[in-house]
Amino acid sequence: MDDIKRGGIAVIDYGSQTTQLIARRIRELGVYAEIFAHDAAPEAIERRQPAGYILSGGPSSVYAPGAPTLSPFVLEHGKPVLGICYGMQLLTAALGGTVAASASREYGPAQIQQRAHSRLLADTAAAQPVWMSHGDRIEELPDGFQTLAYTANSPYAAIGDVARHRYGLQFHPEVGHSPQGSQMLGNFVFGICGCQAKWSAAAFIDEAVARIQTQVGDERVLLALSGGVDSAVAGALIQRAIGKRLTCVFVDNGLLRQGEAAQVLRVFRKERGMRLIAVNAAEEFLQALAGITEPETKRKIIGAQFIDVFSRQARQLRGLRFLAQGTIYPDVIESAAAGKSARTIKSHHNVGGLPEDLDFDLVEPLRDCFKDEVRRAGEALGLPSSIVWRQPFPGPGLAIRCLGELSWQRLETLRRADAIFTGELVAAGLLRGETAQCFAVLLPVRSVGVMGDKRSYEETLALRAVATDDFMTADWARLPYDLLAKISARIVNEVAGINRVVYDITSKPPGTIEWE
């Protein structure tokens, strides 16, 4: 994998909510980008031999006590540098310029006007919309820099030291609200850094297979297969690398969507020919969850129960040295951030906390990939679209979409209603593209209704569909009223226990995509 990682871009993270987006946008251009903490060891970054650096935004003020600083090595080798928002201010301060609090802060859309031609802004409009999010601004440029663009409030919206290949943008080119931002990033990556587009699904697969073969040798591998895209692609990669020496364990916890357990067995055992052991543990999970309503407690119980079930099965298998996981790059980044800040993220990430007697070496072939890259690899590996484009599904499954106390009857009710909702979206051609994620939520809220000229007192179902490119922000999907009416009528008429259907029109933020 090192060959396609070398000569890319090192993204230095200063705490921006969109740091991952910077790396994703660059990878979409076919160039490998990796995120490093602002205080990462220089040798850890330099081993990738980056062609350039991008300094992310962040919530700090450059002169505040304890604010993250710019490591000297970023400037020592003379490689191109692009600072974004806080990264631009940090670059300015480090090179002798002046940064101060702005009299008028900019949060949201702004219009920049180019002042001078530059390679960074080449082939973009002279006046164009961008997305700002800053309280400080540059008051005085460092020596050698010039103004490339400005706004009514920011005289230095884009700056550059052309001779030394150092640039700064006060706005965020990585977000969708800066429509020509990808062109700017491409200008930096190709025109200024001289990178080559060699990061692709085919290249990744070849390198990943070779790496797995080197790591595993003649040993056998155990994979916890959920049927989700991450574990599915991890399994397909490992199967290509070592064939029959891969054993998969699928734990049916009773919290899956309608037909998913059968789909996993059909696709991976019958169609892919994998050695797959299926464990039906639905009753165990439901017993452990009896009486539990708090969502984080549900997550922890499900995670612990999964470890118990998976560990029992693993002990029955002999001669397995390696454990494979579908860990992807956002998991790695979130875990590192949580370790530094000690904040709690949602529980149940992969197979953690196995007993000490199960001493496996980890195989994580996807730990360098974003979700969209995992999907492209899955398509290249020949996995069916029903797996590759499977709707995002939380680790605890329907346990956190069935609000309140769980029972088999309530889960079955939710499964049937959810299948009607997604089925109608498929029939309307809206499951992909128009909706990035959609699902039903069963609420522990009863309301009075009239069904068959009789009073009913049943539960309420909420429908949730969102449109988003990155899942960091999301807007509720404007589904056609006639389609919503059809879905509502079918659910109320065909699913016992529901007499009212509502549609969630909350964006993220302030809401989250999932309800729990």
Side-chain angles (χ1 to χ4, degrees), residues 62-63 75 88-100 137-145 156 159 164 166:
V62 293
Y63 297 128
L75 303 176
M88 172 188 177
Q89 298 162 9
L90 197 61
L91 183 64
T92 297
L95 294 173
T98 304
V99 178
R137 74 175 191 177
I138 294 171
E139 295 290 336
E140 183 180 350
L141 291 178
D143 291 342
F145 279 78
Y156 306 118
I159 62 175
R164 288 182 288 185
R166 294 169 179 173

Side-chain angles (χ1 to χ4, degrees), residues 76-115:
E76 286 173 355
H77 301 297
K79 294 179 180 178
V81 179
L82 171 62
I84 295 174
C85 197
Y86 178 79
M88 172 188 177
Q89 298 162 9
L90 197 61
L91 183 64
T92 297
L95 294 173
T98 304
V99 178
S102 175
S104 178
R105 299 184 177 188
E106 285 184 299
Y107 294 105
Q111 189 85 1
I112 65 166
Q113 179 71 46
Q114 291 194 48
R115 173 163 285 169

Side-chain angles (χ1 to χ4, degrees), residues 7-258:
I9 300 296
V11 179
I12 312 300
D13 181 21
Y14 289 96
S16 172
Q17 295 296 311
T18 58
T19 299
Q20 289 188 36
L21 269 183
I22 300 172
R24 280 187 56 199
R25 295 291 180 252
I26 295 168
R27 291 192 188 185
E28 288 169 359
L29 299 170
V31 174
Y32 182 74
E34 186 167 340
I35 298 171
F36 296 91
H38 68 88
D39 56 356
E43 54 269 22
I45 301 176
E46 285 301 312
R47 68 186 174 88
R48 295 293 186 214
Q49 300 175 17
Y53 300 91
I54 293 181
L55 314 179
S56 84
S60 302
S61 176
V62 293
Y63 297 128
T69 58
L70 179 62
S71 296
F73 83 91
V74 172
L75 303 176
E76 286 173 355
H77 301 297
K79 294 179 180 178
V81 179
L82 171 62
I84 295 174
C85 197
Y86 178 79
M88 172 188 177
Q89 298 162 9
L90 197 61
L91 183 64
T92 297
L95 294 173
T98 304
V99 178
S102 175
S104 178
R105 299 184 177 188
E106 285 184 299
Y107 294 105
Q111 189 85 1
I112 65 166
Q113 179 71 46
Q114 291 194 48
R115 173 163 285 169
H117 173 74
S118 67
R119 297 170 74 182
L120 181 64
L121 303 180
D123 300 319
T124 68
Q128 57 181 291
V130 297
W131 188 260
M132 291 281 192
S133 181
H134 68 97
D136 294 349
R137 74 175 191 177
I138 294 171
E139 295 290 336
E140 183 180 350
L141 291 178
D143 291 342
F145 279 78
Q146 62 176 309
T147 304
L148 304 179
Y150 62 93
T151 71
N153 185 54
S154 294
Y156 306 118
I159 62 175
D161 180 341
V162 177
R164 288 182 288 185
H165 310 297
R166 294 169 179 173
Y167 296 87
L169 298 174
Q170 185 63 77
F171 54 89
H172 289 271
E174 69 273 20
V175 302
H177 297 295
S178 297
Q180 299 182 63
S182 290
Q183 177 66 42
M184 298 175 197
L185 291 174
N187 290 341
F188 178 73
V189 168
F190 297 117
I192 297 170
C193 296
C195 294
Q196 297 179 6
K198 54 184 180 180
W199 177 256
S200 66
F204 163 73
I205 290 170
D206 290 342
E207 292 287 341
V209 167
R211 185 177 58 178
I212 293 166
Q213 291 170 337
T214 299
Q215 180 184 5
V216 172
D218 295 329
E219 301 286 345
R220 295 166 58 200
V221 177
L222 176 64
L223 170 68
L225 182 69
S226 68
V229 62
D230 299 336
S231 66
V233 174
L237 276 172
I238 297 167
Q239 183 187 37
R240 178 171 290 193
I242 65 172
K244 295 295 184 180
R245 286 184 287 122
L246 169 67
T247 298
C248 301
V249 172
F250 167 62
V251 177
D252 182 358
N253 58 14
L255 304 172
L256 301 176
R257 291 170 289 198
Q258 184 168 286

Side-chain angles (χ1 to χ4, degrees), residues 233-491:
V233 174
L237 276 172
I238 297 167
Q239 183 187 37
R240 178 171 290 193
I242 65 172
K244 295 295 184 180
R245 286 184 287 122
L246 169 67
T247 298
C248 301
V249 172
F250 167 62
V251 177
D252 182 358
N253 58 14
L255 304 172
L256 301 176
R257 291 170 289 198
Q258 184 168 286
E260 283 188 324
Q263 180 192 42
V264 170
L265 297 180
R266 183 184 73 253
V267 170
F268 296 100
R269 181 184 285 170
K270 295 183 179 180
E271 297 177 8
R272 305 288 300 186
M274 289 184 179
R275 185 188 180 201
L276 174 61
I277 299 170
V279 182
N280 188 339
E283 188 173 341
E284 291 183 55
F285 276 83
L286 284 178
Q287 287 178 352
L289 290 164
I292 304 300
T293 60
E294 203 278 321
E296 185 63 14
T297 304
K298 287 180 181 179
R299 290 176 180 273
K300 291 178 178 178
I301 290 173
I302 292 167
Q305 193 67 29
F306 176 82
I307 290 170
D308 288 344
V309 174
F310 184 80
S311 299
R312 287 202 308 267
Q313 188 59 53
R315 289 191 183 98
Q316 297 176 27
L317 302 169
R318 302 292 182 181
L320 291 168
R321 176 184 165 189
F322 291 93
L323 173 67
Q325 296 189 151
T327 308
I328 63 174
Y329 198 36
D331 297 334
V332 176
I333 297 169
E334 288 173 8
S335 296
K340 288 194 172 187
S341 64
R343 67 175 179 231
T344 301
I345 58 175
K346 290 180 180 178
S347 304
H348 196 239
H349 267 307
N350 298 309
V351 188
L354 288 174
E356 291 184 3
D357 64 307
L358 294 175
D359 186 19
F360 291 108
D361 292 332
L362 281 181
V363 178
E364 296 177 312
L366 303 176
R367 66 178 287 112
D368 297 313
C369 295
F370 287 107
K371 180 72 78 174
D372 55 329
E373 295 171 323
V374 174
R375 294 191 194 280
R376 287 197 292 271
E379 289 180 323
L381 287 163
L383 288 171
S385 60
S386 59
I387 296 293
V388 173
W389 293 99
R390 182 181 188 244
Q391 281 274 310
F393 195 54
L398 296 182
I400 59 168
R401 293 180 179 174
C402 189
L403 276 57
E405 188 170 353
L406 299 176
S407 68
W408 185 255
Q409 180 178 350
R410 292 191 76 223
L411 287 168
E412 284 290 278
T413 297
L414 177 56
R415 263 187 276 268
R416 289 194 291 270
D418 185 78
I420 290 172
F421 181 33
T422 55
E424 288 294 343
L425 290 178
V426 169
L430 296 175
L431 192 64
R432 285 175 56 184
E434 296 294 328
T435 58
Q437 188 170 355
C438 57
F439 54 90
V441 181
L442 186 62
L443 308 181
V445 176
R446 294 181 179 274
S447 65
V448 174
V450 179
M451 302 180 73
D453 293 328
K454 296 181 180 179
R455 178 185 183 274
S456 67
Y457 190 58
E458 306 290 355
E459 289 190 306
T460 301
L461 186 85
L463 304 179
R464 178 73 158 148
V466 299
T468 178
D469 291 327
D470 50 42
F471 290 90
M472 296 178 184
T473 62
D475 195 12
W476 59 279
R478 272 62 168 177
L479 298 180
Y481 291 157
D482 289 346
L483 177 61
L484 287 172
K486 181 180 181 181
I487 292 168
S488 175
R490 282 197 60 194
I491 289 172

